[in-house]
Amino acid sequence: MSSTSHLLNDQTAEDYRRWVTEGVERVADKLARTETPLTGITPAELAPVVDAIDLDQPLGDPSAALDELERVYLRDAVYFHHPRYLGHLNCPVVIPAVLAEAVLSSVNSSLDTWDQSYGGTLIERRLIDWTAARIGLGDTADGVFTSGGTQSNLHAMLLARDEACRAVREASPAPLRKADILPRLRVLASECGHFSIAKAAALLGLGYEAVIPVPCDENRRMRTDALAAELDRCRDEGLVVMAVSATAGTTDFGSIDPLPRIAELCERGGTWLHVDAAYGCGLLVSNRRRHLLDGIERADSVTVDYHKSFYQPVSSSAVLVRDRSTLRHATYHADYLNPVRAAENLIPNQVDKSIQTTRRFDALKLWLTLRVMGADGVGELFDDVVDLAADAWKLLNDDPRFEVVTEPQLSTLVFRYAPAGDVSPALCDRANLRAREALAASGEAVVAGTVVDGRHHLKFTLLNPRTTLDDIAHVLDLLADHAQRYLSEQAGPERGHARAS
């Protein structure tokens, strides 16, 4: 069989139909038979299986390749659709979006220029307009799809940096180089915000130290009194706050910063307000909780991750701005791709406002989701998991075996096994760590972990509407059993040491 026989075209359309159907059938069968979210296999066990494959010796047959894929991937993959996957911000995905994946990967449009993506360009732009309207950014808003929240935050910080540099230059009586301005720039971000803001500052030449953490209250929301004080301090010291980064749904706690008051402080000082709503963007389609995002409409830029709370496959994200003219800071006109004359002729080249060039048609996933399910359907899914988190918080709060950090605004719960008796904090840390590891090794469930106030905690991230309170209660029992077993094992050696001494 010649290599050209593997190219997707008019002559191989039937092969494409047969092969993809076989692949879909295998995945569907695996999904139907999956009883646990993972197998608990270790890297040491799986790595030799993958390393033993000779990539220079093709199998030649798609069925054989799929058999092999079962051994190296499908058998041990982490299945986020399982109701006892309670780990990271990975959602089960909706079928219309998976259908779109099949379409977009086969047609393989690139969304950088109009002449590579007739129709796709317009669909993406329409979805950006739809999202901006849901946020309330106004008629001058615009944006672009990205690979995820980290890229969206980087893009927003790039625009904020260059807008700050422009303002400083305009206010200066003498010409200034950007290199003269950058050391003065600062970003104020919640201490519970995402690490990608600090990473963005480093990538933009400002350094990690340019990001100043703003303290949070007991509910892990940015303290606006501390923000106001920090804004004043920076001004008094001749520093320029290029952006305040607020969060609508922190990764660890799902907390939403007090956006109206933060917006007021930013407007007073003419400071760029960025809202990282990568997690909380699901509230944009909620019929019951949209008010939790009040104030987001006053932001200068917003990050949304459809692949978190819109139930889309990775990747599907966007960055949006209130003033489309600020997107010029990411524009570069290449003669071979998007020459200046194309912009002058109003050719809609998305690369003009993106920091990527070649880019997948990820917008199609959201498009088909909305056209099949509707925004209310997606919002109902997100509302369901927020309801579940509220019930789970009551369960945890009433359970003497656990301490829960804060009542959730969204669908994340951070808690800690706290045994009765005289158990040191360090030993309690190890018990919580061991409980999480043992649970994953068993394959029965997945929970996440984090550190709060220097102590190890466990975390439920609830994004699956099929998860029940019974599932959560069962996982809590498993965690408590694993933790208590570890403590019992440690007590034996400690008693033996005490007798010996």
Side-chain angles (χ1 to χ4, degrees):
M1 182 178 289
S2 69
S3 296
T4 57
S5 67
H6 296 296
L7 291 173
L8 178 56
N9 53 43
D10 57 318
Q11 298 178 18
T12 59
E14 285 306 314
D15 290 337
Y16 161 73
R17 189 194 313 273
R18 185 173 65 255
W19 294 5
V20 172
T21 298
E22 181 178 353
V24 169
E25 287 177 346
R26 290 195 185 218
V27 173
D29 183 61
K30 181 65 178 175
L31 291 172
R33 293 185 293 106
T34 297
E35 296 181 353
T36 60
L38 74 171
T39 63
I41 196 168
T42 66
E45 293 169 319
L46 187 56
V49 181
V50 177
D51 292 344
I53 293 173
D54 185 352
L55 293 176
D56 292 319
Q57 295 296 321
L59 297 172
D61 175 58
S63 294
L66 286 170
D67 287 340
E68 181 182 84
L69 189 66
E70 170 71 24
R71 297 192 301 275
V72 299
Y73 177 60
L74 291 175
R75 181 189 64 195
D76 299 303
V78 180
Y79 286 98
F80 304 128
H81 75 283
H82 194 280
R84 290 183 184 167
Y85 179 86
L86 311 172
H88 301 285
L89 278 166
N90 305 110
C91 60
V93 295
V94 293
I95 296 173
V98 179
L99 170 62
E101 280 278 11
V103 175
L104 69 92
S105 61
S106 301
V107 179
N108 201 32
S109 298
S110 179
L111 267 288
D112 46 336
T113 58
W114 168 255
D115 63 1
Q116 299 176 72
S117 186
Y118 293 179
T121 294
L122 301 181
I123 286 173
E124 177 173 302
R125 288 189 166 208
R126 180 70 183 87
L127 286 169
I128 288 293
D129 290 344
W130 176 83
T131 305
R134 286 269 170 170
I135 296 172
L137 291 177
D139 294 338
T140 63
D142 201 355
V144 69
F145 270 64
T146 70
S147 65
T150 295
Q151 184 187 327
S152 293
N153 286 341
L154 171 62
H155 197 145
M157 291 300 102
L158 166 67
L159 305 182
R161 182 199 67 181
D162 286 0
E163 279 294 290
C165 289
R166 177 192 59 78
V168 170
R169 282 198 187 103
E170 290 179 354
S172 173
L176 286 174
R177 299 176 306 152
K178 180 178 283 189
D180 298 324
I181 302 171
L182 295 184
R184 296 171 54 197
L185 299 184
R186 297 293 184 270
V187 178
L188 306 186
S190 162
E191 65 179 356
C192 295
H194 198 262
F195 70 86
S196 59
I197 296 297
K199 192 171 184 179
L203 291 171
L204 293 171
L206 308 177
Y208 288 106
E209 61 275 10
V211 178
I212 300 172
V214 179
C216 290
D217 61 20
E218 67 277 6
N219 294 314
R220 313 293 159 164
R221 304 169 73 220
M222 185 190 290
R223 282 176 41 203
T224 56
D225 61 330
L227 174 63
E230 197 60 50
L231 286 166
D232 289 342
R233 184 189 70 81
C234 287
R235 183 189 65 248
D236 293 343
E237 295 182 7
L239 301 173
V240 178
V241 178
M242 75 178 211
V244 170
S245 179
T247 309
T250 58
T251 302
D252 271 350
F253 304 101
S255 303
I256 300 172
D257 290 332
L259 302 179
R261 175 57 177 158
I262 294 172
E264 179 184 329
L265 291 171
C266 289
E267 289 165 1
R268 183 183 303 168
T271 303
W272 183 285
L273 171 58
H274 175 64
V275 176
D276 180 357
Y279 177 13
C281 64
L283 296 172
L284 294 173
V285 288
S286 167
N287 284 323
R288 293 188 278 127
R289 296 183 172 90
R290 174 59 180 83
H291 64 279
L292 294 177
L293 290 180
D294 285 353
I296 195 172
E297 70 282 355
R298 299 162 70 178
D300 294 287
S301 57
V302 178
T303 287
V304 296
D305 266 10
Y306 307 109
H307 60 226
K308 288 185 171 68
S309 46
F310 275 68
Y311 297 91
Q312 302 294 290
V314 174
S315 58
S316 185
S317 180
V319 61
L320 299 103
V321 294
R322 163 181 303 286
D323 179 0
R324 64 171 60 95
S325 71
T326 60
L327 291 169
R328 72 187 183 281
H329 297 303
T331 302
Y332 184 90
H333 290 288
D335 289 337
Y336 82 96
L337 188 69
N338 62 327
V340 173
R341 66 177 181 277
E344 292 171 346
N345 292 329
L346 303 181
I347 303 299
N349 291 328
Q350 293 293 83
V351 72
D352 292 354
K353 50 193 171 186
S354 175
I355 60 176
Q356 292 177 263
T357 304
T358 302
R359 194 161 50 82
R360 299 178 83 237
F361 185 19
D362 286 318
L364 183 61
K365 294 176 283 193
L366 180 59
W367 180 270
L368 280 189
T369 299
L370 294 177
R371 300 312 298 142
V372 174
M373 294 177 59
D376 288 348
V378 178
E380 182 180 344
L381 294 177
F382 195 57
D383 274 334
D384 285 347
V385 295
V386 178
D387 288 340
L388 176 65
D391 292 338
W393 176 80
K394 295 174 185 174
L395 186 70
L396 270 166
N397 202 45
D398 293 340
D399 192 327
R401 300 174 297 177
F402 297 96
E403 297 172 347
V404 60
V405 175
T406 186
E407 186 172 357
Q409 287 183 283
L410 295 180
S411 62
T412 301
L413 288 160
V414 178
F415 61 98
R416 174 178 169 89
Y417 179 71
D422 187 17
V423 178
S424 71
L427 181 56
C428 189
D429 274 353
R430 294 196 296 274
N432 278 274
L433 282 165
R434 182 60 61 88
R436 182 189 173 207
E437 293 167 355
L439 182 67
S442 74
E444 290 194 63
V446 182
V447 302
T450 191
V451 174
V452 181
D453 300 330
R455 291 299 169 195
H456 187 80
H457 284 66
L458 304 169
K459 182 171 70 170
F460 287 158
T461 307
L462 307 177
L463 284 176
N464 192 338
R466 289 188 59 240
T467 301
T468 67
L469 204 58
D470 286 342
D471 287 317
I472 292 171
H474 180 66
V475 172
L476 289 174
D477 287 341
L478 292 173
L479 288 168
D481 287 347
H482 286 306
Q484 191 55 53
R485 187 175 303 119
Y486 174 77
L487 291 174
S488 297
E489 291 168 356
Q490 297 305 301
E494 286 179 4
R495 284 196 298 269
H497 178 74
R499 284 195 298 270
S501 59

